[in-house]
Amino acid sequence: MSPDPQTTRQRVCILGATGSVGTSTLDVIARHPQRFEVFALTAHSRIDELFAQCLQWRPRYAAMPDAGHAQQLRERLRADGVATEVLAGPQALCDLAAHPEVDSVMAAIMGAAGLAPCLAAAAAGKRLLLANKEALVVGGGLFMDAVRAGGATLLPIDSEHSAIFQCLPENRSRWPAHIDHILLTASGGPFRTRDLSTLKHVTPDQACAHPNWVMGRKISVDSATMMNKALEVIEARWLFDLTPDQIRVVIHPQSIVHSMVVCRDNSVLAQMGTPDMRVPIAYGLSHPLRIESGAGQLDFQALASLTFEAPDLTRYPGLALAWETLRAAPGSTAVLNASNEVAVAAFLDRDIRFDQIHSVNLDALARVEAQSSECDSIGGLLELDARARRLAAQFVKGLAA
């Protein structure tokens, strides 16, 4: 059972502590030492950053999936007299997410690698703050079944899904009668008005220069292609139990309205605020209460305008893949996610052009056919993920040749 945030000091495990969401979570926690205790921190490969966090927070545990990285961290902490126990291997992340002394888990690991520890936290009935959209894009029904079976409290941390969640009644059973459809807002990224003919010349640094949000490089590229929004559409289908037709996207360049619910009576409920991830993080940590986040207040007198426009699918062809994969065979969303991770990594490594990311995804969806049995277990989903990655990597190699 989740702890009562009004009376209990929460012990928090942060999966992906050195990323942008992880560091923002620690920033919020630092403002409320009486409410939260950092119990465990994990990172993929950033030893220096995780070492510094362990020095500051002195968690009971730290973990890294690579044994060599974990050993380096262990030796450095021991040399500085820090008693944090360092664990190694992918299973360690699952063990910490399900640890009996952990109350809340911030799931901020990027990509499909976050699926297993998210499932472990869900099955253990944790208060699960979900910033890893791939858990739902890849896991879908399997993940939601684990949440229900484990009695976990699932709180969305993506700003758009948090906005929808904040606009809905507390009683989840009332959602179907409440919602006509939802509108996920999107900034349009850094190339919203750029000449289409020049997109082939986009550099990784240009793609990562988001106009409103401070994010990691992979998610910044996804925002530039709007694949990030495609993944959010898929995530919203599972989070709010909606049909694909009930999920729509609108471009909102100012990123002030974070998303909207259009109700059955055609009332529109919107959540607004400055574009700062600490707001949804603070809400997730404290729900149903609200605590100081550190974000600045919205100054309406300083707002020049709020504008909205339909997304251009010629500029953002990957966005349409959200609805296509949701209507396709089970497992198609997992294939899309896997191929996109490979394509974005190849672009960041300058092996393919920005405008070729979509081609990689289309090829994988055409060539990888999921077996229905693969979607029934985490092992099957990870095998599907690996197969999609192999074929996407082959296609990338052909493009780079």
Side-chain angles (χ1 to χ4, degrees):
M1 180 176 293
S2 297
D4 181 350
Q6 301 183 63
T7 61
T8 306
R9 190 167 186 254
Q10 295 182 51
R11 291 179 293 271
V12 182
C13 170
I14 304 178
L15 304 172
T18 60
S20 60
V21 172
T23 55
S24 292
T25 301
L26 288 170
D27 181 89
V28 174
I29 287 175
R31 299 169 190 277
H32 305 278
Q34 77 284 4
R35 288 180 176 270
F36 307 107
E37 172 190 342
V38 178
F39 184 83
L41 299 172
T42 83
H44 181 258
S45 58
R46 296 175 179 171
I47 300 173
D48 291 343
E49 290 91 334
L50 187 56
F51 172 71
Q53 289 176 343
C54 289
L55 283 181
Q56 177 180 356
W57 293 97
R58 307 293 171 121
R60 179 95 59 87
Y61 295 101
M64 304 190 80
D66 180 80
H69 290 155
Q71 182 60 25
Q72 291 182 53
L73 178 65
R74 187 178 297 116
E75 291 172 357
R76 291 178 64 178
L77 290 173
R78 187 182 300 136
D80 275 61
V82 179
T84 296
E85 182 177 348
V86 179
L87 308 178
Q91 183 58 43
L93 277 60
C94 297
D95 293 342
L96 290 177
H99 195 286
E101 294 186 56
V102 165
D103 300 308
S104 299
V105 176
M106 170 57 78
I109 295 175
M110 185 186 70
L115 176 58
C118 282
L119 279 169
K126 301 301 182 184
R127 182 184 179 94
L128 179 55
L129 284 60
L130 188 66
N132 172 275
K133 60 178 58 64
E134 291 82 5
L136 282 166
V137 173
V138 178
L142 180 71
F143 179 75
M144 292 306 297
D145 286 345
V147 168
R148 286 186 287 268
T153 299
L154 184 61
L155 297 164
I157 299 301
D158 272 352
S159 61
E160 295 82 1
H161 301 104
S162 176
I164 298 297
F165 183 77
Q166 292 181 56
C167 290
L168 290 174
E170 197 72 29
N171 186 343
R172 187 183 181 99
S173 66
R174 293 172 55 196
W175 290 0
H178 196 82
I179 302 172
D180 181 81
H181 65 277
I182 66 172
L183 285 164
L184 301 177
T185 57
S187 70
F191 309 133
R192 184 176 61 87
T193 60
R194 180 170 172 143
D195 186 336
L196 287 172
S197 66
T198 68
L199 290 179
K200 66 177 67 176
H201 303 303
V202 163
T203 68
D205 285 344
Q206 289 172 333
C208 291
H210 196 281
N212 300 332
W213 297 91
V214 177
M215 304 181 293
R217 288 173 70 80
K218 193 270 181 182
I219 196 173
S220 295
V221 175
D222 281 347
S223 181
T225 63
M226 276 190 69
M227 182 53 65
N228 190 45
K229 204 58 51 178
L231 299 179
E232 288 173 8
V233 168
I234 297 167
E235 186 182 7
R237 176 265 176 272
W238 293 107
L239 276 173
F240 306 112
D241 195 22
L242 301 172
T243 67
D245 291 336
Q246 287 181 289
I247 309 167
R248 304 175 193 177
V249 170
V250 63
I251 301 289
H252 171 49
Q254 296 81 20
S255 296
I256 297 299
V257 177
H258 297 307
S259 277
M260 296 168 274
V261 175
V262 180
C263 303
R264 296 284 186 182
D265 62 359
N266 286 332
S267 297
V268 180
L269 305 178
Q271 189 268 336
M272 306 171 68
T274 54
D276 191 321
M277 280 303 298
R278 290 177 296 179
V279 174
I281 289 168
Y283 186 68
L285 285 168
S286 64
H287 176 266
L289 307 178
R290 290 184 183 270
I291 59 175
E292 179 193 353
S293 66
Q297 286 190 350
L298 191 60
D299 183 355
F300 281 90
Q301 294 182 345
L303 290 178
S305 63
L306 298 179
T307 61
F308 303 89
E309 60 195 61
D312 177 1
L313 295 183
T314 302
R315 182 176 298 276
Y316 308 111
L319 180 59
L321 296 179
W323 291 274
E324 291 179 21
T325 54
L326 281 173
R327 295 186 178 106
S332 298
T333 59
V335 172
L336 174 61
N337 178 74
S339 64
N340 185 64
E341 287 190 20
V342 171
V344 171
F347 166 68
L348 289 172
D349 288 340
R350 299 179 182 269
D351 291 331
I352 63 172
R353 301 193 312 263
F354 178 81
D355 63 331
Q356 292 176 319
I357 293 173
H358 182 58
S359 300
V360 178
N361 293 334
L362 285 179
D363 180 78
L365 288 170
R367 291 203 291 158
V368 182
E369 184 175 350
Q371 305 299 316
S372 59
S373 60
E374 289 180 303
C375 302
D376 296 335
S377 69
I378 184 171
L381 285 170
L382 292 178
E383 287 178 11
L384 174 62
D385 176 86
R387 190 163 77 252
R389 288 173 190 273
R390 285 195 299 271
L391 288 175
Q394 290 174 9
F395 190 72
V396 163
K397 189 174 181 180
L399 290 174

